Amino acid sequence: LPSFSPQAPDATTLSCVVQVGIEMKFKDAGYRHLAAVTHVPELSKIRVTDRGIEVGAGVTLTGLQELLLQQVAKQPPHKTRGFAAAAEQLRWFAGRQIRNVGTLGGNVATASPISDLNPLWMAFGAVFRLASQGRQAREVPASKFFLGYRKVDMAPWELLLSVRIPFTGATEFAKEFKQAPRRDDDIAIVNAGMRVRLEQQAGAEGGDQTWVVADVGIAYGGVAPKSIMAEKAMAALRGRPWCQETLDAALAALREDVNVAPTAPGGRGEYRNSLAASFLFKFYVHVCLAMQEAHPDTFKPQLPPGYASAAAGYQRPPVRGVQFHHAVPKADDGSAEVGKDYRHMSADLQVSGGATLILLFVC
């Protein structure tokens, strides 16, 4: 496949038309050459190592979600915190039809500033592997890959081969965030991926040991022309104790990382800035509760009682409904058909999930 690029340097590589189809239909974009890579076996390879998993760029998003959940079930819980976060983000990624054909590599290379997955790869320390003909394959950290609006660190003759997603450590925590106008099948207003690794540090003059931030990754989407790392907020966290005072400093620094103007595309600048801050606060609470459960003897966060709800996951309650029918008096002949309510034959099947939908395509 890389040998095809020099022959057609303007070729667009795709495994489906999720993004290209939109550009052709609504933006009148023209593509002289399209290279379909759906059946290239090297792009669908999956490899599990002692450091994480390497997923081919051609693996579908549905396949990626299944792989992540399989690893969550097989591996020790602490190793797959990032996998669980990515799988949960994929749960709300577009619709099932899109996830069945959309691929990991396509979502990465499109470099959408509101991609639900790219902030996760950046924060979790993922690495992108690029291949080209006649050149040695190179690796680019996800945090350095996105250069601008739909611009990436990938030459025209290069191909995204795979994504390497690392395991998390025993005291390393990862979490996904997304706020959209609606829960299902909608694009994000703001999304984020966050990861922190804590280490115990001896207190001054033999005092109590303190849990400090050894490494951290915070990435946002929907707040800039590209997915960004919150560098100043990360700097405010590194080497400091995981406590309320450190959180306050990080939130103050975050205002410099995320400052969406009211005139920015998409508007709602103040709301998006508030979402970015609330995600960081929720992550702080999430880590505090997880550490308290894993290390109750050495980690004792001072969380007000109402804070714990910030880390609660979304649970959709069962849908219930009530329909009222009015009584229709009988006519003189004993009938009362006019105005009488009748239940459709397929109603029971539709509400119980037993209905079968048959689609006919005529070409």
Side-chain angles (χ1 to χ4, degrees):
L1 183 63
S3 64
F4 174 71
S5 297
Q7 301 176 40
D10 60 345
T12 298
T13 303
L14 73 159
S15 54
C16 65
V17 291
V18 171
Q19 181 63 35
V20 171
I22 293 174
E23 294 177 351
M24 294 176 68
K25 182 176 182 179
F26 297 106
K27 299 182 180 180
D28 199 27
Y31 296 92
R32 293 181 57 193
H33 300 95
L34 294 174
V37 296
T38 308
H39 301 295
V40 177
E42 290 83 357
L43 295 179
S44 298
K45 288 184 176 180
I46 296 171
R47 191 165 63 97
V48 181
T49 69
D50 58 348
R51 301 182 63 183
I53 59 173
E54 186 171 358
V55 186
V59 173
T60 65
L61 299 176
T62 296
L64 173 63
Q65 185 180 28
E66 293 173 351
L67 169 67
L68 294 172
L69 292 175
Q70 288 171 4
Q71 290 300 310
V72 169
K74 290 180 180 179
Q75 302 286 349
H78 73 267
K79 295 181 65 175
T80 57
R81 290 175 179 137
F83 296 177
E88 180 65 16
Q89 193 80 311
L90 282 164
R91 178 185 175 191
W92 309 109
F93 187 107
R96 183 175 295 275
Q97 298 93 332
I98 297 298
R99 295 195 298 269
N100 285 346
V101 295
T103 61
L104 172 59
N107 183 257
V108 168
T110 298
S112 169
I114 52 173
S115 165
D116 290 338
L117 296 178
N118 288 339
L120 272 61
W121 309 144
M122 297 167 67
F124 296 174
V127 175
F128 302 148
R129 189 161 180 255
L130 308 177
S132 59
Q133 186 187 30
R135 296 177 176 87
Q136 188 175 1
R138 69 185 183 101
E139 296 182 344
V140 181
S143 59
K144 306 293 184 183
F145 187 70
F146 304 99
L147 306 179
Y149 179 71
R150 297 193 183 277
K151 293 182 179 180
V152 296
D153 184 13
M154 185 167 65
W157 54 81
E158 289 183 311
L159 180 74
L160 179 60
L161 187 61
S162 63
V163 176
R164 191 168 68 245
I165 311 168
F167 289 128
T168 47
T171 56
E172 191 171 13
F173 303 89
K175 188 65 177 165
E176 84 297 335
F177 298 95
K178 175 180 178 179
Q179 181 64 50
R182 63 172 181 259
R183 180 69 59 172
D184 289 289
D185 197 10
D186 205 355
I187 58 176
I189 300 171
V190 177
N191 51 34
M194 300 186 188
R195 174 190 58 84
V196 67
R197 179 167 56 86
L198 303 180
E199 289 183 354
Q200 273 191 304
Q201 189 176 86
E205 299 180 357
D208 294 339
Q209 290 189 326
T210 305
W211 289 94
V212 300
V213 178
D215 190 25
V216 63
I218 301 174
Y220 286 97
V223 298
K226 63 174 184 174
S227 299
I228 64 166
M229 297 292 291
E231 298 289 352
K232 290 184 171 56
M234 290 161 54
L237 290 169
R238 287 192 189 98
R240 300 190 61 180
W242 190 256
C243 62
Q244 181 67 47
E245 182 181 351
T246 301
L247 172 65
D248 293 341
L251 288 172
L254 184 63
R255 299 191 190 102
E256 300 182 51
D257 293 312
V258 178
N259 186 14
V260 183
T263 56
R268 297 181 286 188
E270 186 176 351
Y271 176 53
R272 289 153 72 185
N273 294 335
S274 298
L275 282 176
S278 69
F279 289 166
L280 181 55
F281 168 74
K282 288 184 176 183
F283 181 62
Y284 169 77
V285 176
H286 168 78
V287 174
C288 283
L289 296 178
M291 280 291 294
Q292 188 176 26
E293 181 179 357
H295 303 275
D297 296 332
T298 58
F299 187 86
K300 301 183 184 300
Q302 303 298 321
L303 285 178
Y307 277 27
S309 62
Y314 173 76
Q315 297 294 332
R316 176 183 295 172
V319 178
R320 299 177 183 272
V322 178
Q323 184 174 2
F324 295 94
H325 298 269
H326 62 279
V328 179
K330 291 185 178 181
D332 294 338
D333 59 358
S335 65
E337 299 303 317
V338 178
K340 185 177 181 179
D341 294 321
Y342 277 90
R343 188 166 62 195
H344 196 280
M345 293 175 59
S346 64
D348 291 337
L349 292 174
Q350 291 175 358
V351 298
S352 64
T356 301
L357 181 63
I358 302 175
L359 301 178
L360 298 178
F361 295 92
V362 180
C363 299

